Amino acid sequence: MSDRTALRRALISVSDKKGIVEFSRKLTELGVELISTGGTASLLRDNGMTVTEVASVTGFPEMMDGRVKTLHPKIHGGLLALRDNSDHLNSLNLYDIPAIDLLVVSLYPFEETVARGGDFSACVENIDIGGPAMIRAAAKNHQFVTVVTEPEDYQSVLNEAAEGGVTLDLRKRLAGQAFLRTASYDAAVAQWFAHDVPDRLASRFVASGEKSQTLRYGENPHQTAALYKSLAHRPGVATANQIQGKELSYNNLNDTDAAFELVAELPSDEPAAVIVKHANPCGAAVAGTLNEAYRLALRCDPVSAFGGIVAFNHPLDVETASSLVEIFTEVIIAPDATEDAKSILAQKKNLRLLITHEMPNASDTGQVVRQIAGGFLVQDRDSRTLQDDDLRVVSKRAPTNAELNDLLFAFTVAKHVKSNAIVYAKDRATVGIGAGQMNRLDSSRIAARKSADAAEKAGECTPLSQGSVVASDAFFPFADGLLAAAEAGATAVIQPGGSIRDEEVIAAADDAGLAMVFTGVRHFRH
């Protein structure tokens, strides 16, 4: 017995009209009867095809501004009837319900309406009700019915229909895809509503995304991976235009996101550059020109910067592009670039250049999701920025204005460094970064060592950390980490405070002549 199902009758109702005329014409050439709704029916009729209106099938006109048109037993009976069940077939005959063998539906453009900033009423009106109901009915009955929700599948259906009918394998695959579509659609609606309810961490968590790219592999070659775009429009690596270079890898995407999110937090009215390697900043700076910011960021850790990711908050110019091609860089991301800058970067054909056209707002809210065995961890994005009343000088000596500017810069960078994080900075440029250690003392020592290594690389005798300030993403549990920073040449410290040994740490800072500021804000990043 063949598992192919012949197509005799199709119901077509699409908001995305791409390819639908050609597809429908091929169906009619195969002898398929067409049923359709509103705008789709008019389009097909205007292109010379015979179409039966849904209203003619149901005996009811479209009503309530189109909110009700396919929600009718004569439609859902035609989709859900089991063709090998005599009771179901008798019901079709008794109530004059036409069996529907093929359903083609694209849903109202809810996600697109939200993305372009539609108002509340427009978004609500683009919540499809009849479409998902029909899709789920047809997908449930995939034993007999073919359901298509993506134009990319039109040709596969035509190919099999021309061979005598659609195979069960294809019907099952399309049914699974259909349920994914309705699930992601409902998730998008739920996410949109969640932005307006007081408790954003509700009793259930849903997320949706559309695959935009199949990646060569994941973190390692034996892992499969893909990039999915979410409903939230946040400028960055997922929405950028790739101007040149090889395909982005999983690690490229992850590291580029880290770099761009950090550079977006630095002062937007001044040129800034960030270099990231393995999801951690290895250099960051704010300066008078973009090229100067890049040079200062590179100076912090030129060894780690090799093969790194570079992010900018201002459009790339010729001078900066000329500096960038001096060493091997994997990815550059910026809001824009001049044509001359693009020409210079084109010399490195494998270098990926991403243009975002805008910067993300560092204070935007959102959610971060991490999967664990058996569940998900969901939290708000760490969009907390320091306010003046957060800062509390706890040492005998207050920081100078220059030190305070550097402290705020260093604390911003530390927010984007994997904990335990220690960041040395001078003149709003990092001069030593210690990341991801199991204790804060080791992070302090690593940052100091990197500072000395960078100085040696630059032919300087004095470690870059001499005369710098230091930021810690969490409190110093003991004075040893603080004293290591003092030994490295730091003159001022910024940290959240809150340790049971705060008084001991404050006393150590005073003994060393350090200015110390508590923020009351912790920035763990795991």
Side-chain angles (χ1 to χ4, degrees):
M1 181 178 176
S2 173
D3 69 351
R4 291 182 180 269
T5 296
L7 303 183
R8 295 176 294 272
R9 186 176 294 108
L11 194 163
I12 303 174
S13 180
V14 292
S15 60
D16 179 2
K17 304 296 194 294
K18 182 179 71 175
I20 195 60
V21 171
E22 296 79 5
F23 178 56
S24 300
R25 183 172 286 116
K26 291 290 186 182
L27 289 175
T28 60
E29 292 172 2
L30 292 170
V32 179
E33 175 189 341
L34 303 183
I35 302 172
S36 192
T37 59
T40 305
S42 297
L43 175 65
L44 299 182
R45 197 175 290 115
D46 290 345
N47 280 273
M49 282 168 264
T50 300
V51 182
T52 300
E53 292 270 2
V54 163
S56 298
V57 175
T58 63
F60 280 85
E62 293 186 14
M63 62 183 70
M64 303 176 188
D65 299 318
R67 284 189 169 202
V68 179
K69 48 193 172 187
T70 59
L71 297 170
H72 194 280
K74 284 202 171 184
I75 298 301
H76 286 271
L79 292 170
L80 285 166
L82 297 173
R83 312 304 160 78
D84 59 356
N85 184 304
S86 58
D87 287 341
H88 289 204
L89 296 178
N90 288 337
S91 293
L92 293 181
N93 292 328
L94 179 63
Y95 297 106
D96 192 24
I97 298 174
I100 299 169
D101 308 303
L102 170 65
L103 176 73
V104 184
V105 171
S106 64
L107 302 175
Y108 290 173
F110 174 81
E111 296 102 327
E112 293 84 349
T113 304
V114 172
R116 65 170 177 259
D119 61 24
F120 186 85
S121 176
C123 291
V124 167
E125 286 308 309
N126 275 282
I127 298 174
D128 204 329
I129 302 300
M134 288 192 295
I135 288 172
R136 289 174 59 82
K140 176 177 180 176
N141 201 26
H142 65 271
Q143 184 179 355
F144 302 102
V145 179
T146 302
V147 56
V148 180
T149 56
E150 305 289 346
E152 290 73 21
D153 292 314
Y154 290 167
Q155 193 57 52
S156 296
V157 172
L158 289 174
N159 291 343
E160 293 204 355
E163 295 294 323
V166 181
T167 62
L168 179 60
D169 282 347
L170 181 56
R171 296 198 304 274
K172 287 177 68 175
R173 180 176 70 80
L174 293 176
Q177 188 164 294
F179 280 119
L180 283 173
R181 179 67 189 111
T182 56
S184 66
Y185 193 83
D186 286 342
V189 174
Q191 285 176 302
W192 177 71
F193 271 105
H195 285 288
D196 291 327
V197 299
D199 182 8
R200 294 186 60 242
L201 298 177
S203 60
R204 294 183 183 273
F205 173 76
V206 294
S208 67
E210 182 177 357
K211 187 165 75 172
S212 65
Q213 183 181 353
T214 299
L215 305 175
R216 287 177 295 162
Y217 52 82
E219 285 184 286
N220 300 291
H222 59 272
Q223 295 171 270
T224 58
L227 169 65
Y228 289 81
K229 291 184 179 179
S230 68
L231 177 63
H233 176 71
R234 183 170 178 79
V237 64
T239 61
N241 294 326
Q242 184 170 348
I243 305 300
Q244 66 167 65
K246 297 187 297 183
E247 179 184 335
L248 289 159
S249 71
Y250 180 100
N251 293 328
N252 291 152
L253 291 163
N254 188 56
D255 290 352
T256 305
D257 179 68
F260 203 56
E261 287 293 323
L262 170 50
V263 83
E265 272 205 67
L266 300 178
S268 60
D269 57 345
E270 297 178 85
V274 169
I275 306 173
V276 161
K277 191 72 170 290
H278 296 299
N280 270 309
C282 57
V286 177
T289 69
L290 206 64
N291 188 51
E292 183 185 0
Y294 169 67
R295 289 291 190 183
L296 289 170
L298 179 63
R299 178 174 178 250
C300 178
D301 190 353
V303 174
S304 298
F306 185 84
I309 311 293
V310 187
F312 298 96
N313 66 347
H314 284 197
L316 280 174
D317 52 33
V318 168
E319 186 180 20
T320 310
S322 298
S323 294
L324 284 162
V325 296
E326 292 176 1
I327 68 167
F328 170 54
T329 298
E330 288 275 9
V331 182
I332 298 168
I333 185 168
D336 209 341
T338 67
E339 292 304 316
D340 288 341
K342 291 178 186 177
S343 297
I344 292 170
L345 296 176
Q347 299 170 20
K348 302 283 188 178
K349 64 178 183 179
N350 291 330
L351 169 65
R352 293 92 160 177
L353 173 60
L354 304 181
I355 299 300
T356 63
H357 302 293
E358 54 183 328
M359 296 295 297
N361 184 343
S363 63
D364 278 349
T365 58
Q367 291 180 323
V368 178
V369 183
R370 178 174 295 176
Q371 188 169 5
I372 60 173
F376 300 91
L377 294 173
V378 182
Q379 65 174 345
D380 290 333
R381 179 186 291 116
D382 186 3
S383 56
R384 180 75 151 80
T385 56
L386 291 182
Q387 307 300 316
D388 289 341
D389 57 4
D390 291 322
L391 304 179
R392 181 165 64 95
V393 178
V394 294
S395 56
K396 292 177 180 178
R397 182 175 77 82
T400 65
N401 287 336
E403 285 175 327
L404 184 58
N405 286 335
D406 283 344
L407 288 170
L408 294 174
F409 168 82
F411 198 65
T412 299
V413 175
K415 176 180 174 181
H416 292 263
V417 178
K418 297 296 178 69
S419 189
N420 287 310
I422 293 291
V423 175
Y424 293 94
K426 186 176 182 180
D427 298 327
R428 291 194 300 169
T430 56
V431 293
I433 299 174
Q437 298 307 301
M438 288 68 75
N439 66 75
R440 206 157 295 279
L441 175 59
D442 282 348
S443 288
S444 294
R445 288 170 171 168
I446 288 171
R449 192 203 73 209
K450 283 181 171 291
S451 173
D453 290 346
E456 183 179 349
K457 186 86 172 174
E460 302 177 26
C461 298
T462 304
L464 300 184
S465 57
Q466 194 66 43
S468 67
V469 305
V470 65
S472 175
D473 63 341
F475 61 66
F476 285 98
F478 301 97
D480 53 4
L482 181 81
L483 293 175
E487 290 171 8
T491 64
V493 183
I494 188 169
Q495 59 140 317
S499 167
I500 60 173
R501 293 184 177 86
D502 274 349
E503 294 305 318
E504 175 186 326
V505 174
I506 292 170
D510 286 334
D511 289 344
L514 301 177
M516 186 154 65
V517 176
F518 280 6
T519 65
V521 177
R522 190 183 75 184
H523 285 306
F524 271 164
R525 189 178 185 88
H526 291 100

